Short mmCIF file of all heavy atoms in Angstrom, two decimals:
data_model
loop_
_atom_site.label_atom_id
_atom_site.label_comp_id
_atom_site.label_asym_id
_atom_site.label_seq_id
_atom_site.Cartn_x
_atom_site.Cartn_y
_atom_site.Cartn_z
N LEU A 1 11.56 -0.64 2.72
CA LEU A 1 10.08 -0.62 2.59
C LEU A 1 9.61 0.63 1.90
O LEU A 1 8.43 0.82 1.70
CB LEU A 1 9.39 -0.79 3.95
CG LEU A 1 9.68 -2.14 4.66
CD1 LEU A 1 8.66 -2.23 5.83
CD2 LEU A 1 9.54 -3.30 3.74
N GLY A 2 10.55 1.59 1.50
CA GLY A 2 10.14 2.75 0.76
C GLY A 2 10.27 2.59 -0.75
O GLY A 2 9.85 3.33 -1.52
N ASP A 3 10.88 1.38 -1.08
CA ASP A 3 11.14 1.09 -2.48
C ASP A 3 10.00 0.31 -3.10
O ASP A 3 9.63 -0.79 -2.60
CB ASP A 3 12.44 0.34 -2.62
CG ASP A 3 12.84 -0.06 -4.03
OD1 ASP A 3 13.14 0.77 -4.81
OD2 ASP A 3 12.67 -1.29 -4.33
N HIS A 4 9.46 0.73 -4.19
CA HIS A 4 8.27 0.10 -4.78
C HIS A 4 8.61 -1.33 -5.25
O HIS A 4 7.76 -2.25 -5.09
CB HIS A 4 7.71 0.94 -5.94
CG HIS A 4 7.02 2.18 -5.42
ND1 HIS A 4 6.29 3.02 -6.30
CD2 HIS A 4 6.87 2.71 -4.19
CE1 HIS A 4 5.77 4.02 -5.57
NE2 HIS A 4 6.08 3.88 -4.30
N GLU A 5 9.71 -1.50 -5.86
CA GLU A 5 10.11 -2.84 -6.35
C GLU A 5 10.20 -3.84 -5.19
O GLU A 5 9.77 -5.02 -5.31
CB GLU A 5 11.36 -2.78 -7.13
CG GLU A 5 11.27 -2.22 -8.55
CD GLU A 5 10.52 -3.19 -9.50
OE1 GLU A 5 10.38 -4.41 -9.22
OE2 GLU A 5 10.06 -2.76 -10.52
N THR A 6 10.74 -3.36 -4.15
CA THR A 6 10.90 -4.24 -2.90
C THR A 6 9.58 -4.58 -2.35
O THR A 6 9.30 -5.75 -2.05
CB THR A 6 11.80 -3.53 -1.84
OG1 THR A 6 13.07 -3.24 -2.36
CG2 THR A 6 11.89 -4.36 -0.57
N LEU A 7 8.67 -3.56 -2.24
CA LEU A 7 7.33 -3.78 -1.68
C LEU A 7 6.61 -4.85 -2.59
O LEU A 7 5.91 -5.72 -2.07
CB LEU A 7 6.58 -2.49 -1.58
CG LEU A 7 7.00 -1.54 -0.49
CD1 LEU A 7 6.27 -0.18 -0.62
CD2 LEU A 7 6.70 -2.09 0.94
N ALA A 8 6.67 -4.62 -3.86
CA ALA A 8 5.98 -5.47 -4.83
C ALA A 8 6.54 -6.95 -4.73
O ALA A 8 5.71 -7.94 -4.74
CB ALA A 8 6.08 -4.97 -6.21
N ALA A 9 7.84 -7.06 -4.59
CA ALA A 9 8.42 -8.45 -4.44
C ALA A 9 7.96 -9.06 -3.19
O ALA A 9 7.66 -10.29 -3.17
CB ALA A 9 9.91 -8.33 -4.56
N LEU A 10 7.83 -8.37 -2.07
CA LEU A 10 7.37 -8.86 -0.78
C LEU A 10 5.93 -9.23 -0.88
O LEU A 10 5.47 -10.26 -0.36
CB LEU A 10 7.69 -7.87 0.32
CG LEU A 10 9.15 -7.70 0.65
CD1 LEU A 10 9.27 -6.44 1.54
CD2 LEU A 10 9.71 -8.88 1.32
N ALA A 11 5.17 -8.41 -1.58
CA ALA A 11 3.71 -8.67 -1.74
C ALA A 11 3.49 -9.91 -2.45
O ALA A 11 2.54 -10.68 -2.21
CB ALA A 11 3.05 -7.54 -2.39
N GLN A 12 4.39 -10.20 -3.41
CA GLN A 12 4.22 -11.38 -4.29
C GLN A 12 4.40 -12.69 -3.39
O GLN A 12 3.78 -13.74 -3.73
CB GLN A 12 5.26 -11.38 -5.37
CG GLN A 12 5.07 -12.38 -6.46
CD GLN A 12 6.03 -12.17 -7.64
OE1 GLN A 12 7.24 -11.72 -7.46
NE2 GLN A 12 5.64 -12.55 -8.78
N THR A 13 5.14 -12.65 -2.38
CA THR A 13 5.36 -13.75 -1.43
C THR A 13 4.12 -14.15 -0.72
O THR A 13 4.01 -15.22 -0.22
CB THR A 13 6.54 -13.58 -0.49
OG1 THR A 13 6.14 -12.53 0.48
CG2 THR A 13 7.78 -13.16 -1.22
N VAL A 14 3.20 -13.24 -0.60
CA VAL A 14 1.86 -13.55 0.03
C VAL A 14 0.73 -13.67 -1.03
O VAL A 14 -0.40 -13.48 -0.68
CB VAL A 14 1.51 -12.58 1.09
CG1 VAL A 14 2.62 -12.62 2.15
CG2 VAL A 14 1.28 -11.14 0.59
N ASP A 15 1.15 -13.98 -2.23
CA ASP A 15 0.21 -14.25 -3.32
C ASP A 15 -0.55 -13.02 -3.83
O ASP A 15 -1.69 -13.18 -4.34
CB ASP A 15 -0.76 -15.37 -2.93
CG ASP A 15 -0.06 -16.72 -2.66
OD1 ASP A 15 0.94 -17.00 -3.36
OD2 ASP A 15 -0.50 -17.38 -1.76
N LEU A 16 0.03 -11.91 -3.72
CA LEU A 16 -0.48 -10.70 -4.43
C LEU A 16 0.20 -10.51 -5.70
O LEU A 16 1.41 -10.86 -5.83
CB LEU A 16 -0.30 -9.40 -3.54
CG LEU A 16 -1.07 -9.38 -2.24
CD1 LEU A 16 -0.65 -8.22 -1.36
CD2 LEU A 16 -2.58 -9.26 -2.49
N ASP A 17 -0.48 -9.98 -6.73
CA ASP A 17 0.02 -9.89 -8.02
C ASP A 17 0.99 -8.70 -8.14
O ASP A 17 0.69 -7.52 -7.82
CB ASP A 17 -1.12 -9.65 -9.07
CG ASP A 17 -0.60 -9.54 -10.46
OD1 ASP A 17 -0.48 -10.63 -11.13
OD2 ASP A 17 -0.39 -8.44 -10.97
N LYS A 18 2.25 -9.04 -8.48
CA LYS A 18 3.29 -8.06 -8.46
C LYS A 18 3.03 -6.86 -9.39
O LYS A 18 3.20 -5.71 -8.99
CB LYS A 18 4.68 -8.69 -8.86
CG LYS A 18 5.80 -7.71 -8.76
CD LYS A 18 7.16 -8.37 -9.09
CE LYS A 18 8.29 -7.43 -8.98
NZ LYS A 18 9.63 -8.11 -9.24
N ALA A 19 2.52 -7.16 -10.57
CA ALA A 19 2.26 -6.07 -11.55
C ALA A 19 1.17 -5.18 -11.07
O ALA A 19 1.22 -3.87 -11.18
CB ALA A 19 1.87 -6.62 -12.92
N GLU A 20 0.14 -5.83 -10.44
CA GLU A 20 -1.02 -5.00 -9.90
C GLU A 20 -0.56 -4.13 -8.75
O GLU A 20 -0.97 -2.98 -8.53
CB GLU A 20 -2.12 -5.94 -9.44
CG GLU A 20 -3.39 -5.26 -9.03
CD GLU A 20 -4.50 -6.21 -8.63
OE1 GLU A 20 -4.27 -7.45 -8.62
OE2 GLU A 20 -5.70 -5.75 -8.39
N VAL A 21 0.36 -4.66 -7.89
CA VAL A 21 0.94 -3.91 -6.79
C VAL A 21 1.70 -2.75 -7.26
O VAL A 21 1.56 -1.62 -6.81
CB VAL A 21 1.73 -4.76 -5.85
CG1 VAL A 21 2.55 -3.93 -4.90
CG2 VAL A 21 0.87 -5.77 -5.12
N LEU A 22 2.57 -2.96 -8.24
CA LEU A 22 3.42 -1.85 -8.80
C LEU A 22 2.49 -0.71 -9.40
O LEU A 22 2.80 0.48 -9.24
CB LEU A 22 4.33 -2.39 -9.86
CG LEU A 22 5.55 -3.17 -9.29
CD1 LEU A 22 6.31 -3.86 -10.49
CD2 LEU A 22 6.47 -2.20 -8.52
N ALA A 23 1.47 -1.13 -10.09
CA ALA A 23 0.52 -0.14 -10.67
C ALA A 23 -0.12 0.62 -9.55
O ALA A 23 -0.36 1.91 -9.64
CB ALA A 23 -0.48 -0.85 -11.58
N MET A 24 -0.51 0.03 -8.53
CA MET A 24 -1.20 0.62 -7.42
C MET A 24 -0.28 1.62 -6.69
O MET A 24 -0.65 2.75 -6.48
CB MET A 24 -1.67 -0.40 -6.39
CG MET A 24 -2.48 0.15 -5.21
SD MET A 24 -1.36 0.76 -3.86
CE MET A 24 -0.66 -0.74 -3.29
N LEU A 25 0.97 1.20 -6.47
CA LEU A 25 2.00 2.04 -5.81
C LEU A 25 2.32 3.24 -6.65
O LEU A 25 2.73 4.34 -6.08
CB LEU A 25 3.23 1.24 -5.42
CG LEU A 25 3.04 0.17 -4.34
CD1 LEU A 25 4.29 -0.66 -4.31
CD2 LEU A 25 2.76 0.82 -3.02
N ALA A 26 2.27 3.10 -7.96
CA ALA A 26 2.55 4.26 -8.91
C ALA A 26 1.45 5.26 -8.88
O ALA A 26 1.71 6.42 -9.37
CB ALA A 26 2.84 3.72 -10.26
N SER A 27 0.32 4.96 -8.33
CA SER A 27 -0.75 5.87 -8.23
C SER A 27 -0.88 6.46 -6.84
O SER A 27 0.03 6.15 -6.04
CB SER A 27 -2.12 5.12 -8.63
OG SER A 27 -2.49 4.30 -7.64
N ASP A 28 -1.96 7.11 -6.50
CA ASP A 28 -2.21 7.55 -5.08
C ASP A 28 -3.29 6.73 -4.47
O ASP A 28 -3.94 7.12 -3.54
CB ASP A 28 -2.54 8.99 -5.11
CG ASP A 28 -3.82 9.34 -5.84
OD1 ASP A 28 -4.49 8.42 -6.47
OD2 ASP A 28 -4.30 10.50 -5.73
N ALA A 29 -3.51 5.48 -5.00
CA ALA A 29 -4.59 4.73 -4.47
C ALA A 29 -4.35 4.34 -3.09
O ALA A 29 -3.24 4.13 -2.59
CB ALA A 29 -4.67 3.36 -5.32
N TYR A 30 -5.42 4.24 -2.30
CA TYR A 30 -5.48 3.91 -0.91
C TYR A 30 -4.85 4.95 0.07
O TYR A 30 -4.71 4.70 1.27
CB TYR A 30 -4.83 2.47 -0.62
CG TYR A 30 -5.58 1.44 -1.45
CD1 TYR A 30 -5.14 1.05 -2.63
CD2 TYR A 30 -6.80 0.92 -0.94
CE1 TYR A 30 -5.80 0.09 -3.35
CE2 TYR A 30 -7.48 -0.07 -1.64
CZ TYR A 30 -6.99 -0.46 -2.92
OH TYR A 30 -7.72 -1.41 -3.59
N ALA A 31 -4.48 6.11 -0.50
CA ALA A 31 -3.96 7.12 0.35
C ALA A 31 -5.03 7.60 1.36
O ALA A 31 -4.75 7.81 2.54
CB ALA A 31 -3.40 8.30 -0.45
N THR A 32 -6.22 7.74 0.85
CA THR A 32 -7.34 8.16 1.68
C THR A 32 -7.62 7.15 2.81
O THR A 32 -7.91 7.55 3.90
CB THR A 32 -8.55 8.36 0.85
OG1 THR A 32 -8.39 9.39 -0.18
CG2 THR A 32 -9.78 8.82 1.70
N ASP A 33 -7.44 5.90 2.53
CA ASP A 33 -7.68 4.86 3.56
C ASP A 33 -6.68 5.01 4.70
O ASP A 33 -7.02 4.89 5.82
CB ASP A 33 -7.63 3.44 2.89
CG ASP A 33 -8.63 3.27 1.80
OD1 ASP A 33 -8.36 3.66 0.71
OD2 ASP A 33 -9.70 2.67 2.07
N VAL A 34 -5.45 5.25 4.28
CA VAL A 34 -4.40 5.43 5.32
C VAL A 34 -4.72 6.66 6.16
O VAL A 34 -4.71 6.57 7.41
CB VAL A 34 -3.01 5.61 4.66
CG1 VAL A 34 -1.94 5.96 5.77
CG2 VAL A 34 -2.60 4.29 3.88
N ARG A 35 -5.08 7.70 5.53
CA ARG A 35 -5.37 8.98 6.28
C ARG A 35 -6.65 8.80 7.21
O ARG A 35 -6.71 9.32 8.28
CB ARG A 35 -5.60 10.13 5.35
CG ARG A 35 -4.37 10.48 4.49
CD ARG A 35 -3.15 10.77 5.36
NE ARG A 35 -1.99 11.21 4.66
CZ ARG A 35 -0.78 10.98 4.97
NH1 ARG A 35 -0.54 10.30 6.08
NH2 ARG A 35 0.25 11.41 4.28
N ASP A 36 -7.57 8.04 6.66
CA ASP A 36 -8.81 7.80 7.47
C ASP A 36 -8.48 6.99 8.77
O ASP A 36 -8.93 7.32 9.80
CB ASP A 36 -9.86 6.94 6.65
CG ASP A 36 -10.53 7.83 5.65
OD1 ASP A 36 -10.42 9.04 5.67
OD2 ASP A 36 -11.22 7.25 4.73
N ASP A 37 -7.59 5.94 8.60
CA ASP A 37 -7.15 5.28 9.79
C ASP A 37 -6.51 6.18 10.76
O ASP A 37 -6.65 6.09 11.97
CB ASP A 37 -6.15 4.12 9.39
CG ASP A 37 -6.85 2.80 9.04
OD1 ASP A 37 -8.10 2.78 9.00
OD2 ASP A 37 -6.14 1.88 8.73
N GLU A 38 -5.61 7.01 10.26
CA GLU A 38 -4.86 7.92 11.15
C GLU A 38 -5.81 8.92 11.83
O GLU A 38 -5.64 9.24 13.04
CB GLU A 38 -3.80 8.67 10.31
CG GLU A 38 -2.71 7.66 9.84
CD GLU A 38 -1.67 8.34 8.95
OE1 GLU A 38 -1.96 9.41 8.30
OE2 GLU A 38 -0.60 7.78 8.82
N GLN A 39 -6.79 9.41 11.13
CA GLN A 39 -7.74 10.43 11.69
C GLN A 39 -8.58 9.71 12.76
O GLN A 39 -8.91 10.25 13.80
CB GLN A 39 -8.56 10.98 10.57
CG GLN A 39 -7.88 11.95 9.71
CD GLN A 39 -8.63 12.42 8.52
OE1 GLN A 39 -9.80 12.12 8.43
NE2 GLN A 39 -7.94 13.05 7.55
N THR A 40 -9.04 8.42 12.48
CA THR A 40 -9.82 7.71 13.44
C THR A 40 -8.94 7.43 14.76
O THR A 40 -9.48 7.62 15.81
CB THR A 40 -10.22 6.30 12.85
OG1 THR A 40 -11.05 6.54 11.71
CG2 THR A 40 -11.05 5.53 13.90
N GLY A 41 -7.74 7.07 14.52
CA GLY A 41 -6.86 6.87 15.66
C GLY A 41 -6.70 8.17 16.49
O GLY A 41 -6.72 8.13 17.72
N ALA A 42 -6.54 9.27 15.84
CA ALA A 42 -6.36 10.61 16.51
C ALA A 42 -7.64 10.90 17.30
O ALA A 42 -7.61 11.39 18.44
CB ALA A 42 -6.08 11.69 15.49
N ALA A 43 -8.82 10.60 16.72
CA ALA A 43 -10.09 10.83 17.35
C ALA A 43 -10.22 9.99 18.63
O ALA A 43 -10.89 10.37 19.58
CB ALA A 43 -11.21 10.56 16.42
N LEU A 44 -9.61 8.85 18.59
CA LEU A 44 -9.65 7.94 19.76
C LEU A 44 -8.63 8.30 20.84
O LEU A 44 -8.54 7.73 21.88
CB LEU A 44 -9.43 6.46 19.31
CG LEU A 44 -10.57 5.83 18.51
CD1 LEU A 44 -10.09 4.49 17.97
CD2 LEU A 44 -11.79 5.64 19.33
N GLY A 45 -7.75 9.31 20.48
CA GLY A 45 -6.73 9.70 21.38
C GLY A 45 -5.40 8.91 21.33
O GLY A 45 -4.56 8.98 22.26
#
């Protein structure tokens, strides 16, 4: 699950566009969303 090609192939099985997923993973997109979830969780204890 740390390999981008593997993630994109798995995403394709749930009808996500593989090329779009690879482009997203090659960027830092949604990093802030992950950190926001983690900070919210920490705030909740």
Side-chain angles (χ1 to χ4, degrees):
L1 297 193
D3 177 73
H4 288 187
E5 284 288 343
T6 300
L7 287 173
L10 291 167
Q12 192 173 29
T13 68
V14 298
D15 297 325
L16 292 172
D17 183 85
K18 184 176 181 180
E20 188 176 4
V21 168
L22 284 171
M24 183 278 294
L25 291 171
S27 72
D28 62 354
Y30 299 97
T32 299
D33 300 83
V34 175
R35 297 304 182 212
D36 285 347
D37 273 3
E38 293 174 339
Q39 289 172 10
T40 299
L44 291 171

